[in-house]
Amino acid sequence: MCGIVGYIGKDDGTEICLKGLKRLEYRGYDSAGMAVVDNQEIKSIKVKGRVAALEEKQKNNPLKGSLVIAHTRWATHGVPSEENAHPHFDCHKQFAIVHNGIIENYASLKRWLEEKGHKFTSQTDTEVIPHLIEDYYEGDLVATVQKVLSLVEGTYGLAIISAKEPDKMVAARCGSPLILGICDNGDYIVASDPTAVVEYTRKVVYLNDREVVVLNHGSYQIFTLDNKEVERETSEIAWDLAQIEKGGFPHFMLKEIFNQPDTVSNAMRGRIILSENRVKLGGLIDYLDSLAKSERIVFVACGTSWHAGLIAEYLFENLASLPTEVEYASEFRYKGSIVNTDTPYFVISQSGETADTLESLRKVKSAGGKVFGIVNVVGSTIARETDAGIYLHAGPEIGVASTKAFTSQVTVLSLLALYLAKARGKMSDEDMQARLNSVLALPKIIEKILKNADSIKNIAERYIKYNNFLYLGRGYNFPVALEGALKLKEISYIHAEGYPAAEMKHGPIALIDQNMPVVVVATDTEDIIYQKVMSNIEEVRARGGNIIAIATEGNEDIKNFATEVIYVPKTAGFISPIVNVIPLQLLSYYMAAARGCDIDKPRNLAKSVTVE
Ligand code: G6P
């Protein structure tokens, strides 16, 4: 996690770096720091806390320089503190580094360096790097960095400056993202992701693992660690500044929730050919036949993306009769799972950078398997390393709690399930037509729910005093219950558990009393499981529990059983997760807002988990 920014150019780059850090704060925000080379000397400031505090410090005692590196931290090794904040230095402050990732063999390297007399000032793994550079430096920063990076094990996206070579920045990556922004005026900005550079340029270069970029004033070169020069084409960032600003909303999360009519439209745009009654998925075109013939599909993901994978399991099995498994990436990568080369694997990731998901992808590929991606961030590592895939086109998601990416993932997965259902002869033309029409209706339905946001806010405000919630759903909406509970935990710090409704009797029912509200997804009135969910509601009521029901418009009967009812428009069951999750997103948002939580930057979390 952590965000890094570096600038080399003609002017003072401190403001650009501070602005960049603010855009990267979703990656971590427990401490921050910045260093410049000024008059052949490294000068630095650090704070415990947010980038805003660093900005304050900068105002009081400004650093200035045209060679700058900066960092916002999510602590892994060492508590959040000024000492542990980056940049880190060697003994004589001749080299400064900002780093995102983990140096796994730091303990042995640190022991070795300490025996040689190096003095460490932090508890971080990162600090071994500047000391190693100091130890090996013989007048060539690039060669020294290449040597040092071949000694370290682990992951890094890093940028290094030195007082000894004040016209140069060296940046490198392995397992943590790093991009280079190329400005028209010859300035360069390196950063953990494009949000930190898009204000200045849309022309970027994506670095690959074990590559080092050397930036001089007005030119750059990319090398491998063993010093082979690499030619790399530039890419264009496909979105603009407006998409990473709040646009009048108090939080990115609320903006992203309200964006969903558009983002769900974007996820389906050009992919439904209604006149031909079919789904078109250009990114998978070369593989669709073999996908349709496969006997099993495996999804691998983390967090909210894993919940999207769980919904895909229901979609693929119910619609396409295709056996499907869903794995947590963090479990999959280490368990003795046998990679079957006939099985297509799909990784789902908003950021395209989640470390466990990326390593799972690599595990399958190195065993000779095929991996496809359902990814939002264009050009991200996962997008680049998969064999093919489907982009979400949801635009940048900044709020740490994922919302619009989730509904886009489920939209895309629903389309893929429909494609496979048709290709496998499991769906009549009539059924296909009806289902495509229901997918097309989604944006309008979401708009309608969002118009009802104030009434959800009222309900949320009545429930903020409770410390435990249970979320129940069945079938397609069991993963929605998990996602609703996760949203509440993430941003309001209220304990919540998601459960398949009928499993309540196997444990959670023991917890139910008037202090444990139960949120029940009870749409799909025509489904055979609806009556069973209603029985679960009765069971909660009999034990004095308060029920917040998500129900279909027109279902007046449910008012007799539930304490609160949030109505959503009627929709087909297979896409109901996309509809039903919206009120749950709003419920958690408004509860967190009423509790005064820091919604876009919830404590201890980071948007992009680039460490395992
Ligand atoms: C973090 C984020 C979640 C996200 C998960 C997986 O935990 O806070 O919102 O769902 O990572 O991220 P990915 O980018 O791979 O979808």
Side-chain angles (χ1 to χ4, degrees):
M1 344 250 270
C2 306
I4 68 170
V5 198
Y7 168 89
I8 178 166
K10 285 177 275 308
D11 303 314
D12 172 38
T14 52
E15 206 185 310
I16 289 177
C17 287
L18 282 171
K19 266 197 183 170
L21 286 189
K22 282 196 166 163
R23 305 238 188 256
L24 294 176
E25 255 191 316
Y26 72 86
R27 303 178 66 86
Y29 33 80
D30 59 41
S31 50
M34 179 161 69
V36 300
V37 176
D38 180 9
N39 238 338
Q40 317 251 330
E41 205 188 311
I42 289 179
K43 295 183 178 156
S44 60
I45 50 171
K46 295 183 184 190
V47 292
K48 178 183 173 202
R50 300 278 163 95
V51 175
L54 187 70
E55 245 182 347
E56 269 311 300
K57 203 161 186 177
Q58 164 76 357
K59 262 189 215 142
N60 299 337
N61 193 6
L63 295 179
K64 289 235 172 296
S66 58
L67 186 60
V68 192
I69 54 175
H71 189 270
T72 177
R73 181 168 186 248
W74 185 88
T76 58
H77 294 59
V79 295
S81 67
E82 221 171 288
E83 295 73 46
N84 289 331
H86 298 218
H88 289 288
F89 313 103
D90 59 301
C91 298
H92 300 96
K93 215 173 178 183
Q94 293 298 295
F95 304 95
I97 177 176
V98 287
H99 168 223
N100 161 213
I102 292 181
I103 305 303
E104 286 166 359
N105 59 341
Y106 87 99
S108 56
L109 291 168
K110 188 168 175 177
R111 261 195 312 278
W112 180 72
L113 286 159
E114 281 177 332
E115 276 162 21
K116 294 184 84 179
H118 288 266
K119 296 271 176 279
F120 282 74
T121 57
S122 78
Q123 287 86 53
T124 64
D125 52 330
T126 303
E127 202 186 343
V128 295
I129 297 179
H131 287 283
L132 283 169
I133 294 176
E134 178 178 39
D135 215 76
Y136 283 102
Y137 187 76
E138 284 177 347
D140 182 344
L141 182 63
V142 183
T144 314
V145 171
Q146 285 167 323
K147 161 88 187 159
V148 164
L149 293 183
S150 64
L151 298 175
V152 303
E153 286 161 20
T155 53
Y156 51 81
L158 52 82
I160 297 166
I161 54 177
S162 171
K164 291 178 184 284
E165 298 186 38
D167 293 322
K168 188 176 289 167
M169 178 181 303
V170 182
R173 73 157 278 176
C174 181
S176 303
L178 194 70
I179 59 126
L180 166 64
I182 302 169
C183 305
D184 285 346
N185 63 357
D187 293 356
Y188 298 111
I189 306 165
V190 289
S192 300
D193 85 25
T195 56
V197 310
V198 71
E199 190 169 346
Y200 311 99
T201 181
R202 289 165 78 164
K203 199 166 157 195
V204 292
V205 169
Y206 293 100
L207 291 188
N208 286 340
D209 279 353
R210 285 169 287 280
E211 285 180 353
V212 173
V213 61
V214 184
L215 306 162
N216 295 99
H217 288 279
S219 71
Y220 72 94
Q221 282 173 293
I222 303 173
F223 297 98
T224 57
L225 287 189
D226 52 2
N227 205 33
K228 297 203 175 61
E229 189 163 357
V230 177
E231 290 297 322
R232 177 73 34 77
E233 285 187 5
T234 58
S235 309
E236 282 286 312
I237 301 172
W239 38 268
D240 57 28
L241 195 58
Q243 281 176 275
I244 54 167
E245 301 203 314
K246 286 191 198 140
F249 286 91
H251 297 100
F252 282 112
M253 184 182 177
L254 194 62
K255 176 187 171 196
E256 286 156 7
I257 291 173
F258 273 80
N259 258 181
Q260 290 175 110
D262 289 340
T263 50
V264 165
S265 278
N266 291 344
M268 65 174 89
R269 177 159 302 123
R271 292 172 171 163
I272 296 179
I273 317 293
L274 201 56
S275 56
E276 294 169 23
N277 207 19
R278 70 183 179 94
V279 168
K280 181 181 153 198
L281 296 167
L284 289 178
I285 200 135
D286 296 334
Y287 298 94
L288 286 168
D289 279 352
S290 63
L291 281 172
K293 288 190 190 113
S294 50
E295 287 175 4
R296 170 177 170 257
I297 284 198
V298 177
F299 285 95
V300 186
C302 297
T304 288
S305 297
W306 183 78
H307 294 159
L310 280 186
I311 295 171
E313 181 180 350
Y314 286 87
L315 287 165
F316 282 47
E317 296 198 344
N318 289 349
L319 304 182
S321 303
L322 183 45
T324 304
E325 282 164 42
V326 191
E327 301 262 12
Y328 276 120
S330 51
E331 292 298 317
F332 177 81
R333 66 180 283 195
Y334 287 115
K335 78 178 189 192
S337 36
I338 298 144
V339 173
N340 182 339
T341 49
D342 293 330
T343 298
Y345 290 78
F346 275 80
V347 287
I348 310 175
S349 176
Q350 185 287 127
S351 62
E353 301 293 349
T354 301
D356 286 324
T357 312
L358 177 59
E359 287 310 318
S360 300
L361 179 175
R362 289 176 176 162
K363 172 174 171 169
V364 176
K365 290 205 77 171
S366 63
K370 284 260 175 289
V371 190
F372 305 101
I374 308 286
V375 173
N376 190 32
V377 177
V378 176
S380 56
T381 312
I382 291 177
R384 285 182 294 138
E385 292 195 19
T386 39
D387 291 284
I390 311 176
Y391 274 125
L392 304 180
H393 301 306
E397 189 179 66
I398 313 280
V400 166
S402 182
T403 51
K404 64 176 183 174
F406 176 74
T407 45
S408 294
Q409 287 164 342
V410 182
T411 304
V412 158
L413 289 163
S414 307
L415 293 179
L416 182 56
L418 289 177
Y419 178 91
L420 294 173
K422 182 167 173 164
R424 288 164 69 83
K426 305 289 179 193
M427 192 170 283
S428 69
D429 281 351
E430 216 182 344
D431 193 7
M432 184 74 170
Q433 185 78 192
R435 288 182 192 266
L436 290 178
N437 275 313
S438 356
V439 178
L440 286 166
L442 277 168
K444 285 267 171 297
I445 290 177
I446 299 173
E447 258 170 39
K448 202 165 170 202
I449 300 171
L450 293 172
K451 284 200 182 110
N452 192 27
D454 278 348
S455 70
I456 299 174
K457 183 172 181 229
N458 289 339
I459 295 176
E461 286 169 357
R462 286 203 290 278
Y463 281 81
I464 55 166
K465 61 177 191 296
Y466 293 95
N467 292 321
N468 297 288
F469 278 72
L470 186 62
Y471 282 67
L472 301 177
R474 276 191 89 159
Y476 288 115
N477 286 299
F478 155 51
V480 172
L482 295 181
E483 177 60 8
L486 178 65
K487 288 287 89 83
L488 193 67
K489 278 185 272 216
E490 279 179 307
I491 58 164
S492 67
Y493 318 140
I494 296 173
H495 168 246
E497 280 191 64
Y499 247 80
E503 280 293 302
M504 179 182 69
K505 287 202 266 311
H506 299 285
I509 200 164
L511 299 169
I512 289 172
D513 60 15
Q514 67 283 9
N515 298 317
M516 176 96 160
V518 182
V519 180
V520 187
V521 183
T523 53
D524 302 341
T525 39
E526 281 143 30
D527 197 306
I528 45 161
I529 57 176
Y530 174 75
Q531 277 316 327
K532 298 179 195 296
V533 173
M534 288 308 290
S535 305
N536 299 134
I537 290 181
E538 291 274 24
E539 288 152 11
V540 173
R541 215 163 64 112
R543 285 155 185 85
N546 285 307
I547 292 148
I548 302 174
I550 311 297
T552 306
E553 274 171 11
N555 181 354
E556 291 301 317
D557 183 47
I558 201 159
K559 285 187 181 153
N560 300 320
F561 304 92
T563 330
E564 318 281 349
V565 182
I566 301 173
Y567 284 112
V568 295
K570 188 170 168 49
T571 186
F574 80 109
I575 45 159
S576 62
I578 303 168
V579 171
N580 294 339
V581 79
I582 311 270
L584 301 189
Q585 294 169 345
L586 287 168
L587 200 61
S588 58
Y589 172 83
Y590 288 122
M591 280 204 224
R595 286 166 67 106
C597 298
D598 194 345
I599 291 176
D600 285 332
K601 300 188 190 81
R603 70 184 178 210
N604 303 338
L605 297 179
K607 177 123 196 97
S608 188
V609 182
T610 57
V611 295
E612 60 171 298

